[in-house]
């Protein structure tokens, strides 16, 4: 794949922010209710931790840090939050909003060695849109990013993609067949994963773990 072809995705989100401001529309989610549902589902990747046991979490593709806002409103205070985005525009917005947080403005495919290590990584909306990319280029981008990120995860990683089980597919979205997904996960990342298609949206969320469930 040509270098930085995926920059079309970043530019799309920056255009959404410029048009709609700091809102669900500014990160291209159609409505607040479904966006909130996604945050809840994503955070379910964290397993076995009590409310007093701190876990480190990287919000990969943090955008405007709406996941952090959800954490605060939900009173979830056992998560040590770090945000990462390859867009300088979104990074600056998040830093201005939450100067107490650590943020990285980083393209991990260009500087993979600068990515830290975290207990959990959440990648909400990173792979749901492919914009001008064809399926093959988007799938390759998806695999390249996960190959870089997963070795830096101590416990688990969560991401969402669009489902193939829909009445019609939108050309600009990334509808990933589960057989392609499973082959990649088993061959290159982990055999320990969960595919969630139970929360009522036209997508599915995947939790990928380093180890099987204990007990």
């Amino acid at each position: 794949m040509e270098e930085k072809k995926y920059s079309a995705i970043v530019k799309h989100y920056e255009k959404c922010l410029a048009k709609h401001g700091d809102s669900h529309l500014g990160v291209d989610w159609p409505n607040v209710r479904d966006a909130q549902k996604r945050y809840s589902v994503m955070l379910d990747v964290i397993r076995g931790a009590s409310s007093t046991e701190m876990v480190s979490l990287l919000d990969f593709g943090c955008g405007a840090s709406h996941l952090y806002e959800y954490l605060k409103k939900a009173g979830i205070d056992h998560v040590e939050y770090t945000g990462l985005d390859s867009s300088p525009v979104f990074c600056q917005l998040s830093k201005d909003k939450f100067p107490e947080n650590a943020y990285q403005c980083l393209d991990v495919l260009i500087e993979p060695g600068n990515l830290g290590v975290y207990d959990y990584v959440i990648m909400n909306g990173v792979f749901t849109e492919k914009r001008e990319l064809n399926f093959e280029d988007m799938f390759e981008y998806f695999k390249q990013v996960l190959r870089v990120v997963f070795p830096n995860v101590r416990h688990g990683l969560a991401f969402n993609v669009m489902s193939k089980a829909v009445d019609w597919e939108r050309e600009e979205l990334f509808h990933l067949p589960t057989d392609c997904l499973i082959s990649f996960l088993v061959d290159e990342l982990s055999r320990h994963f969960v595919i969630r298609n139970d929360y009522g949206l036209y997508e599915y969320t995947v939790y990928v773990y380093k180890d099987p469930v204990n007990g």
Side-chain angles (χ1 to χ4, degrees), residues 53-80:
E53 180 184 355
M54 293 296 297
V55 295
S56 60
L57 182 146
L58 177 66
D59 185 6
F60 187 104
C62 63
S65 295
H66 294 160
L67 175 65
Y68 181 69
E69 293 177 4
Y70 179 89
L71 287 167
K72 298 280 283 186
K73 290 178 181 177
I76 301 172
D77 56 7
H78 64 287
V79 172
E80 181 183 351

Side-chain angles (χ1 to χ4, degrees), residues 6-104:
Y6 53 86
S7 64
I9 301 170
V10 178
K11 291 176 182 177
H12 166 72
Y13 284 107
E14 289 179 342
K15 288 178 182 177
C16 290
L17 179 65
K19 181 176 181 179
H20 300 288
D22 183 3
S23 66
H24 62 282
L25 293 174
V27 291
D28 209 16
W29 289 134
N31 62 73
V32 173
R33 182 191 62 188
D34 291 352
Q36 296 289 307
K37 184 179 293 187
R38 289 183 179 95
Y39 303 140
S40 175
V41 170
M42 285 283 161
L43 288 167
D44 280 348
V45 70
I46 301 173
R47 66 186 188 188
S50 69
S51 59
T52 58
E53 180 184 355
M54 293 296 297
V55 295
S56 60
L57 182 146
L58 177 66
D59 185 6
F60 187 104
C62 63
S65 295
H66 294 160
L67 175 65
Y68 181 69
E69 293 177 4
Y70 179 89
L71 287 167
K72 298 280 283 186
K73 290 178 181 177
I76 301 172
D77 56 7
H78 64 287
V79 172
E80 181 183 351
Y81 176 95
T82 298
L84 179 150
D85 208 290
S86 62
S87 165
V89 176
F90 276 108
C91 285
Q92 192 59 55
L93 172 61
S94 285
K95 288 177 181 179
D96 290 343
K97 288 171 64 177
F98 303 111
E100 71 274 17
N101 288 342
Y103 288 100
Q104 285 185 286

Side-chain angles (χ1 to χ4, degrees), residues 100-115:
E100 71 274 17
N101 288 342
Y103 288 100
Q104 285 185 286
C105 190
L106 177 66
D107 183 333
V108 297
L109 297 188
I110 295 177
E111 301 177 279
N114 290 337
L115 181 64

Side-chain angles (χ1 to χ4, degrees), residues 178-209:
T178 53
D179 56 344
C180 296
L181 169 72
I182 292 171
S183 294
F184 167 66
L185 293 179
V186 171
D187 291 345
E188 299 198 39
L189 298 188
S190 174
R191 298 185 64 86
H192 314 304
F193 58 86
V194 175
I195 298 176
R196 284 196 59 176
N197 196 43
D198 64 341
Y199 54 101
L201 302 182
Y202 296 107
E203 63 183 58
Y204 60 90
T205 292
V206 183
Y207 308 146
V208 189
Y209 293 103

